[in-house]
Amino acid sequence: MGKINQGILGGFKGKVGTVIGASWNGIAYMRGIAQSVRNANTAAQQTQRNFFKDLQQLASQLSDEQLQSLFPSVNRGMTRRNMLTHQLAAAAAITDDVKAVDLTQLEGIGNGERIESPMLECIISELNGQLTLNAEAAVAELIGKPAEANFIAVAYNITKRKIGVFNSNATDPSYGVNIPIGNWGERGDSVRFYLTYAAKGENVYLRGFGSFIIKTRAEKVGRKIGKTVQL
C-alpha cells in the first residue's frame, strides 16, 4: 500500500486506492490504474516497439560526459539522454516495414551553438596502424578553428549503426585531418561525421553543436565558504 507523506498535494510512491504515485527526475506524479489492459501485439505495435529499442541502443552509446557537452542546457523534465533520443527519433525512416533511425539523414546532435561545419562522408581507413577518419584540408579549414585548438569529430557509422565522439591531437588543418577511432569500427565502414574543436579552458559547447571531449581543462579554484566545517 502507498503512503502520502506530505498531504494530499505532496508526492507519494506506491498504490493508493485507484491511483499510483511515482517520481521521475525529481518530479512527483500520479497516474490512474488501468481498468483493463489490451496487448493485441499488432504489426504496428511491434514496429513501434522495435523502433524504441533502436533509439535506446543508439542513445546508450554516448557517455554522460559526452552528453553533458552535447547538451549544455537541459529542458525541464528531461534528461540529456531523453533529449538525444528525441533528436534521433526525428531521423526515423521505414524500409521494408522496419522503422529505424536513418543515420544518413541525421545531422548535428546537441543544443550548443552551431558552427559552419558541414557533414562529411568517408570510409574508415588505416594510417600508421590506427583506424582513422579523414577530412580534406579545404573542409577542415572551414570551421575557423583557433591555431592551438585540437580537432574533434562527431561521427555516425552507417555500416555498424554506431554513434561516436573522437578527440585528436591534430591542430593544423593545412594537410587534412586524421582522427583515430580505436575499435569503434572496421576498415571499409561507411561513416558520416563533422568536425569541431575544443581549446584549453573554454566552454567548448559554444564552439559547436556536437559532443566534445576536452583534452585539457583549466584548473578550477575552490569556492571559499564563510563557515567552518568540523569533522
Side-chain angles (χ1 to χ4, degrees):
M1 178 179 291
K3 182 178 180 181
I4 301 176
N5 295 320
Q6 302 173 17
I8 191 62
L9 298 179
F12 69 95
K13 292 183 179 180
K15 178 181 175 183
V16 178
T18 60
V19 177
I20 294 177
S23 176
W24 179 81
N25 244 19
I27 300 173
Y29 69 92
M30 296 183 293
R31 64 179 176 85
I33 299 175
Q35 297 302 309
S36 63
V37 178
R38 296 183 60 190
N39 187 1
N41 200 27
T42 64
Q45 288 174 325
Q46 292 180 29
T47 296
Q48 198 64 13
R49 288 168 184 162
N50 290 333
F51 179 54
F52 286 148
K53 289 180 182 178
D54 186 50
L55 287 173
Q56 293 170 0
Q57 192 273 335
L58 288 171
S60 66
Q61 294 177 16
L62 298 181
S63 68
D64 290 341
E65 182 182 7
Q66 290 172 337
L67 287 171
Q68 188 172 0
S69 294
L70 265 168
F71 298 91
S73 60
V74 182
N75 295 344
R76 177 176 171 79
M78 296 187 71
T79 66
R80 289 181 169 90
R81 210 168 295 277
N82 292 149
M83 294 169 69
L84 173 61
T85 300
H86 182 73
Q87 291 184 346
L88 294 173
I94 298 178
T95 304
D96 297 329
D97 296 327
V98 176
K99 186 177 182 180
V101 178
D102 185 356
L103 295 178
T104 65
Q105 295 182 17
L106 185 63
E107 297 297 325
I109 49 180
N111 62 1
E113 181 182 352
R114 179 167 180 165
I115 57 175
E116 294 299 324
S117 186
M119 292 299 301
L120 308 175
E121 296 182 2
C122 77
I123 300 298
I124 295 177
S125 59
E126 188 170 337
L127 180 66
N128 298 325
Q130 288 186 319
L131 294 175
T132 63
L133 306 178
N134 309 104
E136 295 181 355
V139 177
E141 291 172 345
L142 281 178
I143 70 172
K145 182 187 69 63
E148 71 280 3
N150 56 288
F151 280 100
I152 294 172
V154 182
Y156 317 135
N157 187 326
I158 308 302
T159 306
K160 296 288 191 299
R161 291 191 56 74
K162 290 183 176 183
I163 299 177
V165 182
F166 304 99
N167 206 355
S168 78
N169 292 320
T171 58
D172 183 3
S174 59
Y175 297 101
V177 176
N178 299 310
I179 308 282
I181 61 168
N183 61 357
W184 178 74
E186 296 180 352
R187 185 174 180 177
D189 285 354
S190 177
V191 175
R192 294 178 69 239
F193 70 103
Y194 63 89
L195 293 174
T196 183
Y197 58 89
K200 181 176 179 180
E202 70 176 343
N203 292 323
V204 292
Y205 61 82
L206 296 178
R207 294 297 182 185
F209 65 118
S211 186
F212 304 87
I213 301 171
I214 307 173
K215 290 181 64 64
T216 55
R217 192 185 297 269
E219 182 179 356
K220 293 184 178 180
V221 179
R223 185 178 60 177
K224 294 183 180 180
I225 302 175
K227 62 180 180 179
T228 303
V229 178
Q230 295 181 350
L231 300 178

